[in-house]
Amino acid sequence: MSHPWVCATCANHYPEAESPPSTCHICADERQWVPPGGQRWTTLAELSAAGHRADIREIEPGLLGIGAAPQVAIGQRSLLVRTAEGNLLWDPSGFIDDDAVRAVREAGGLRAVSASHPHFYGSIVVWSEAFGAEILLPEVDASWLPRPSPAVRTWSGVLDVLPGVTLIQCGGHFPGSSVVHWAEGAGGAGALFTGDTIFVTPGEDRLTFVWSAPNRLPLPERDVRRVVDAVAPYAFDRIYGGWWTPVLREGAKDALRSSADRYIEFLRGEARTG
């Protein structure tokens, strides 16, 4: 039977076929990983049969979170930001079911769907097809999309998607690594959705950066500075990463600047420790 294949490690979706590809090209890259036992594949039907269900939560006014319980693969949850002129879905989970689609339909549907980087493309094509939504990908990273779609629209630099909702290409983890700036977030103080472009640390009081999280590879200084400079023109007090928690709930702009300075001290071997 022909159906889309889902990488069991990163949950990216591949084209419909009777048998899966030999490898997931996203996991074969040094920023991700292939299990020691080799490449593994699954399907949405298998995931549902195993008990996975949509996990839908109201995060703050105008912002809905959609993940999977139990989590699937990397485990990111998507964010649906709602505006009077349409909605954007960001960092879609690799799992999608009828309950997730129904929740988005009840919230006003989708104008567009996008992601911070290729590891989080997940079910992006399924979401696009369900709502006739554009898939917005940074031009430099668009070739990573495992399941081609005519709905893809590429962009570079900065893209105003909806009123008060802006995509910002920061680079770093991937050349096209991006964030969303939501002007109405955090009660009007502004919020960033950062995926893996900027990590919120467990204490919810600082931030960090990586080239590869699973392989513990740091991000070079020039790329850290590029990320910070890319978001500097925007007002924001809160940062949502790629998962339900942690969240840097206030003071995010100052925390980003001080965290970047501290990170660079370690890269240069100038950090005072102990």
Side-chain angles (χ1 to χ4, degrees):
M1 180 179 179
S2 181
H3 50 70
W5 292 93
V6 179
C7 174
T9 305
C10 72
N12 268 287
H13 289 208
Y14 281 72
E16 293 186 12
E18 292 186 2
S19 58
S22 58
T23 59
C24 168
H25 69 271
I26 288 176
C27 287
D29 178 75
E30 72 171 345
R31 284 159 288 199
Q32 194 31 32
W33 59 285
V34 176
Q39 177 69 49
R40 296 184 296 112
W41 297 97
T42 186
T43 66
L44 288 175
E46 287 180 353
L47 291 169
S48 292
H52 296 280
R53 297 290 183 269
D55 183 4
I56 302 159
R57 309 180 194 179
E58 189 76 31
I59 295 177
E60 63 171 274
L63 188 65
L64 195 69
I66 306 171
Q71 75 175 36
V72 171
I74 300 172
Q76 78 271 20
R77 57 87 189 92
S78 56
L79 293 172
L80 180 78
V81 59
R82 302 163 67 179
T83 80
E85 296 188 21
N87 301 337
L88 170 72
L89 185 72
W90 175 252
D91 278 347
S93 165
F95 181 77
I96 180 174
D97 63 9
D98 290 342
D99 288 341
V101 173
R102 186 179 304 110
V104 171
R105 183 171 292 114
E106 291 173 354
L110 283 182
R111 281 274 298 275
V113 56
S114 189
S116 57
H117 67 298
H119 294 162
F120 286 1
Y121 287 170
S123 55
I124 197 166
V125 174
V126 181
W127 279 108
S128 169
E129 292 176 346
F131 290 94
E134 285 188 317
I135 299 173
L136 302 176
L137 301 182
E139 183 176 8
V140 70
D141 285 348
S143 62
W144 285 98
L145 184 65
R147 188 180 176 194
S149 169
V152 170
R153 171 189 169 196
T154 60
W155 63 280
S156 297
V158 173
L159 180 66
D160 294 322
V161 183
L162 293 162
V165 181
T166 304
L167 296 179
I168 306 163
Q169 182 180 346
C170 300
H173 184 43
F174 277 78
S177 283
S178 307
V179 303
V180 170
H181 178 253
W182 179 33
E184 298 302 315
L192 295 181
F193 310 159
T194 62
D196 277 10
T197 307
I198 302 168
F199 277 87
V200 182
T201 57
E204 298 192 339
D205 59 349
R206 64 190 69 193
L207 302 143
T208 194
F209 316 85
V210 296
W211 169 257
S212 168
N215 296 321
R216 309 299 193 267
L217 296 174
L219 198 64
E221 177 180 344
R222 68 179 184 277
D223 294 324
V224 174
R225 294 195 182 280
R226 189 178 303 146
V227 171
V228 175
D229 289 347
V231 301
Y234 300 88
F236 58 91
D237 195 47
R238 183 172 297 162
I239 291 180
Y240 293 101
W243 296 265
W244 296 112
T245 57
V247 175
L248 206 162
R249 301 177 189 279
E250 59 184 8
K253 192 155 193 175
D254 288 342
L256 177 60
R257 188 179 304 109
S258 61
S259 296
D261 289 344
R262 182 65 170 158
Y263 188 93
I264 289 168
E265 286 180 351
F266 275 96
L267 291 177
R268 292 179 172 180
E270 298 173 352
R272 298 181 63 180
T273 59

